[in-house]
């Protein structure tokens, strides 16, 4: 009987590790701060047709609206209620977006902020995205409703009420994260309001959640909340599908709280992945690509089945969160494309691509004074739409890394090689490496100063392939380099590091 219960519980939680991505798709993209109307259009015109599996959206619930600084991106991480109107749009627009994305095979994952409400100094009034009244001073959020009773008050033992010592797990979980009013998730009532919010989104058709700030919540409390979640809507997902859960736990090692504590509940963000791969591509600390032969668990990362991986995220691309200076972002576009390419070619983890907006970086003593800046916006603070240029790039400050040919084509590469083993490794002992995915794909990187000019075994069937980095297959012809693979699977590659993109990738569907 005990064994039976164990098996049942195990089965339930393992299910929450499955992103329920549609057949033939593998990767997801974070459309950070995009409006729902733009995401709906992007699903139909770009993400669906190009094989993207899902979108992580910004928090859809009501949030504080701040004037100083002016409408920062992080105001969305300060909930006022679970009403579904935010800087990205209304509840109707959200519902329309979820439906339209689902209709073209693209899942929606919601960024769920359930650890806290707004900051203690958030003031009072109705400066909130739906106009709900609240009082941060008295911890009154009538639109949920939450009152002072629903927060961790005396449970926190620091004099400031904030987390002061990250080595003290009680502080990290019972005190306020940078003064954000900390919800008492041990209370049945709080759990029920959070679950009600998440279930409403499940009813609307979302596939799961990126759960914010999980380090700051007790695993047992999260388990209780997740346990109240319904299965996914059978309009779009198979019967008995658990919502996909991936938890933000920043664990670069050496802290009191480890990512491992959350493995049984869902997947976890593997922050070591982008921090380390950034160090490798930057060639810092003596790192070289040759050392990535055993990339993944071999590098001390979490088990494959637990990991969500990414090169940068909305926090660490602007110095927030963790990872440090090694993180490669769109600001270092050449290295970023290579690192994202490496991630998408490699089998480890569920891969998430970042899609950013530009801001006016201004460094003083190595610190970006404008790391708070919100998305491209109009003078009234409303978020600007994402215009698509004739060359398919985005305008008005939206970076759209996911539309860059190299990244989009590597998303397709990952789909084509799905399920194939990491194979046919080659390296030159330094920063020139190559690997394949069975007989379905092969990728070669030159991150050294000297040219790469080598013939190697690709594991692919003989024929001529189109390199999907320098170009792509269009109507039977190749707009980039052509790679000839002999009947013995060997091919010659020549890559100069001075090229715009010093890497080459071919796959079964880029065969001419
Ligand atoms: C906030 O309250 C004021 C005064 O009651 C009202 O005029 C205004 O429309 C409200 N703002 C929103 C966004 O509801
Ligand atoms: C922080 O917490 C840890 C664990 O409780 C404790 O050992 C350490 O002394 C604390 N540090 C300070 C500065 O209070
Ligand atoms: C899903 O469940 C419903 C209701 O129990 C049932 O009618 C339907 O046949 C099931 N579908 C599949 C594919 O099993
Ligand atoms: C939800 O799905 C799980 C399996 O993933 C199943 O055990 C459970 O009975 C389902 N719950 C409902 C209410 O259908
Ligand atoms: C590998 O790359 C290094 C660094 O550019 C270069 O010096 C070396 O000659 C290359 N080795 C081989 C075996 O090609």
């Amino acid at each position: 009987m005990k064994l039976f219960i164990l098996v049942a519980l195990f089965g339930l939680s393992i299910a929450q590790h499955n992103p329920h991505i549609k057949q033939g798709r593998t990767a997801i993209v974070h459309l950070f701060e995009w409006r729902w109307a733009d995401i709906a259009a992007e699903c139909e015109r770009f993400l669906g047709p190009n094989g993207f599996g899902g979108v992580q959206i910004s928090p859809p619930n009501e949030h504080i609206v701040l004037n100083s600084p002016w409408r920062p991106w992080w105001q969305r991480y300060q909930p006022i209620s679970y009403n579904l109107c935010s800087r990205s749009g209304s509840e109707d627009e959200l519902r329309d977006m979820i439906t339209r994305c689902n209709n073209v095979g693209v899942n929606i994952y919601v960024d769920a902020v359930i650890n806290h409400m707004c900051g203690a100094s958030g003031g009072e009034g109705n400066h909130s995205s739906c106009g709900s009244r609240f009082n941060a001073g008295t911890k009154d959020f009538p639109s949920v409703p939450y009152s002072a009773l629903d927060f961790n008050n005396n449970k926190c033992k620091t004099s400031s009420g904030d987390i002061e010592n990250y080595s003290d797990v009680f502080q990290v979980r019972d005190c306020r994260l940078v003064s954000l009013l900390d919800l008492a998730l041990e209370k049945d009532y709080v759990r029920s309001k959070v679950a009600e919010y998440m279930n409403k989104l499940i009813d609307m058709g979302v596939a799961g959640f990126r759960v914010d700030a999980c380090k700051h919540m007790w695993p047992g409390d999260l388990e209780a909340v997740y346990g109240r979640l319904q299965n996914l809507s059978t309009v779009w997902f198979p019967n008995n599908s658990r919502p996909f859960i991936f938890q933000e736990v920043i664990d670069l090692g050496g802290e009191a709280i480890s990512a491992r504590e959350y493995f049984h509940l869902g997947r976890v963000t593997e922050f070591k992945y982008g921090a380390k791969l950034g160090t490798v591509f930057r060639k810092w600390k003596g790192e070289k690509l040759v050392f990535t032969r055993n990339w993944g668990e071999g590098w001390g990362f979490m088990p494959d089945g637990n990991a969500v991986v990414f090169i940068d995220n909305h926090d660490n691309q602007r110095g927030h969160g963790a990872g440090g200076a090694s993180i490669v972002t769109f600001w270092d576009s050449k290295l970023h494309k290579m690192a994202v390419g490496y991630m998408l070619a490699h089998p480890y983890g569920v891969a998430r691509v970042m899609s950013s907006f530009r801001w006016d970086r201004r460094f003083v003593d190595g610190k970006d004074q404008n790391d708070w800046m919100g998305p491209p916006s109009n003078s009234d603070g409303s978020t600007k739409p994402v215009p698509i240029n004739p060359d398919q790039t985005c305008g008005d400050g939206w970076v759209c890394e996911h539309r860059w040919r190299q990244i989009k084509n590597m998303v397709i590469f990952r789909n084509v090689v799905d399920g194939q083993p990491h194979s046919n490794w080659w390296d030159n002992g330094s920063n020139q490496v190559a690997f394949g995915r069975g007989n379905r794909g092969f990728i070669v990187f030159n991150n050294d100063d000297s040219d790469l000019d080598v013939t190697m075994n690709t594991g692919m069937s003989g024929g001529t392939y189109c390199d999907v980095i320098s170009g792509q297959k269009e109507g039977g012809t190749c707009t980039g380099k052509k790679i000839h693979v002999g009947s013995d699977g060997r091919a010659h590659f020549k890559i100069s590091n001075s090229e715009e993109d010093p890497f080459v990738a071919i796959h079964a569907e880029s065969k001419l």
Side-chain angles (χ1 to χ4, degrees):
M1 185 60 190
K2 254 189 185 150
L3 186 66
F4 174 78
I5 290 171
L6 259 176
V7 168
L9 281 176
F10 188 66
L12 182 74
S13 60
I14 282 298
Q16 285 166 190
H17 297 70
N18 179 350
H20 300 295
I21 292 177
K22 299 296 185 292
Q23 183 68 31
R25 299 172 187 261
T26 53
I28 69 179
V29 57
H30 182 195
L31 296 180
F32 178 45
E33 285 280 14
W34 280 44
R35 297 156 67 249
W36 309 147
D38 293 315
I39 296 177
E42 190 71 350
C43 282
E44 291 169 346
R45 72 192 164 202
F46 189 84
L47 301 175
N50 286 298
F52 283 75
V55 181
Q56 178 185 322
I57 62 169
S58 285
N61 61 298
E62 181 170 25
H63 54 83
I64 199 167
V65 174
L66 297 171
N67 293 331
S68 179
W70 178 254
R71 312 293 198 256
W73 62 266
W74 40 256
Q75 68 182 14
R76 297 189 71 172
Y77 290 88
Q78 298 200 27
I80 295 299
S81 81
Y82 302 124
N83 296 335
L84 295 174
C85 41
S86 67
R87 189 173 197 174
S88 288
S90 67
E91 178 168 339
D92 285 345
E93 289 167 318
L94 177 68
R95 188 184 304 277
D96 178 62
M97 178 268 282
I98 294 167
T99 303
R100 287 165 61 192
C101 290
N102 276 328
N103 282 342
V104 293
V106 180
N107 291 348
I108 298 297
Y109 304 101
V110 169
D111 193 347
V113 185
I114 61 175
N115 172 64
H116 54 259
M117 299 298 277
C118 70
S121 59
E124 64 177 304
N126 64 353
H127 49 293
S128 50
S129 55
C130 321
S132 292
R133 301 202 67 81
F134 67 98
N135 186 335
T138 58
K139 302 183 180 127
D140 201 21
F141 296 89
S143 282
V144 178
Y146 285 142
S147 72
L149 296 172
D150 301 314
F151 293 85
N152 284 328
N153 303 320
N154 300 330
K155 220 178 159 192
C156 169
K157 304 298 179 203
T158 65
S159 54
S160 64
D162 293 340
I163 302 165
E164 296 171 0
N165 177 1
Y166 269 78
S167 300
D168 181 340
V169 298
F170 295 94
Q171 283 192 30
V172 175
R173 286 165 171 157
D174 295 337
C175 296
R176 299 181 315 206
L177 167 63
V178 294
S179 100
L180 298 162
L181 297 174
D182 203 49
L183 285 167
L185 272 175
E186 67 184 6
K187 285 191 64 177
D188 185 71
Y189 175 73
V190 176
R191 291 174 179 177
S192 74
K193 296 315 284 189
V194 168
E196 187 185 303
Y197 162 57
M198 295 169 84
N199 279 331
K200 178 164 183 181
L201 291 160
I202 290 173
D203 277 337
M204 290 168 80
V206 308
F209 303 90
R210 176 253 184 204
V211 184
D212 182 63
C214 287
K215 183 191 287 181
H216 304 284
M217 295 180 276
W218 292 96
D221 289 342
L222 287 174
E223 187 166 9
V225 170
Y226 302 158
R228 293 181 186 208
L229 300 183
Q230 300 158 191
N231 291 336
L232 297 183
S233 165
T234 53
V235 176
W236 286 290
F237 301 96
N239 281 357
N240 298 328
S241 298
R242 293 298 297 154
F244 178 45
I245 300 285
F246 65 109
Q247 306 164 100
E248 185 211 16
V249 180
I250 302 175
D251 176 7
L252 294 170
E255 269 188 49
I257 293 169
S258 112
R260 202 179 312 119
E261 296 173 48
Y262 298 83
F263 287 173
H264 60 297
L265 301 174
R267 287 192 185 242
V268 179
T269 48
E270 179 49 281
F271 275 80
K272 290 174 187 158
Y273 192 101
K276 292 286 185 192
L277 201 56
T279 308
V280 169
F281 274 99
R282 290 184 189 281
K283 300 187 249 183
W284 287 358
K285 299 184 177 172
E287 291 291 5
K288 293 176 180 170
L289 272 172
V290 60
F291 302 144
T292 65
R293 182 176 190 144
N294 63 343
W295 186 244
E297 291 169 20
W299 273 59
F301 301 162
M302 62 184 68
D304 185 12
N306 283 107
V308 168
V309 299
F310 47 98
I311 297 304
D312 62 330
N313 80 348
H314 70 281
D315 275 318
N316 66 17
Q317 68 171 199
R318 46 178 51 71
H320 284 242
S326 73
I327 300 298
V328 287
T329 70
F330 69 88
W331 297 106
D332 303 293
S333 62
K334 183 172 175 174
L335 290 184
H336 187 70
K337 285 179 279 184
M338 280 200 276
V340 173
Y342 193 104
M343 170 181 78
L344 291 169
H346 195 280
Y348 176 84
V350 167
R352 178 181 65 190
V353 169
M354 181 68 201
S355 190
S356 318
F357 58 79
R358 278 174 206 286
W359 70 98
D360 302 327
R361 286 203 302 182
R362 194 166 62 82
F363 288 103
V364 176
D365 296 331
K367 162 112 174 72
D368 178 7
Q369 303 300 301
N370 287 336
D371 61 354
W372 57 269
M373 279 190 167
S377 51
N378 302 301
S379 56
D380 64 356
S382 60
T383 303
K384 283 188 177 173
V386 180
I388 307 301
N389 299 321
D391 69 356
Q392 298 305 304
T393 60
C394 301
D396 264 351
W398 298 98
V399 182
C400 291
E401 296 94 310
H402 69 285
R403 279 180 168 257
W404 295 358
R405 181 190 65 244
Q406 301 84 344
I407 292 178
K408 174 209 51 166
N409 284 345
M410 285 307 297
V411 166
I412 295 169
F413 179 108
R414 190 176 188 80
N415 294 342
V416 173
V417 304
D418 190 28
Q420 297 291 314
H422 188 261
S423 53
N424 294 301
W425 175 267
W426 172 90
D427 66 69
N428 89 332
S430 184
N431 286 295
Q432 300 177 356
V433 302
F435 61 90
R437 297 290 303 278
N439 60 3
R440 298 282 292 167
F442 197 75
I443 190 163
V444 187
F445 293 89
N446 179 10
N447 200 32
D448 269 330
D449 299 328
S450 55
D451 288 356
L452 177 151
D453 192 351
V454 185
T455 298
M456 61 183 93
N457 183 28
T458 65
M460 310 274 291
S461 64
T464 300
Y465 293 81
C466 185
D467 167 32
V468 299
I469 304 304
S470 57
Q472 58 197 9
K473 197 169 114 177
E474 275 171 22
T477 64
C478 179
T479 61
K481 294 179 188 174
K482 285 183 192 165
I483 305 294
H484 303 283
V485 176
S487 54
D488 59 356
R490 293 173 68 78
H492 178 245
F493 295 90
K494 190 167 163 49
I495 308 173
S496 158
N497 189 261
S498 59
E499 287 175 41
E500 184 188 341
D501 298 307
F503 65 120
V504 165
I506 57 175
H507 59 70
E509 289 176 16
S510 80
K511 197 171 185 176
L512 295 167

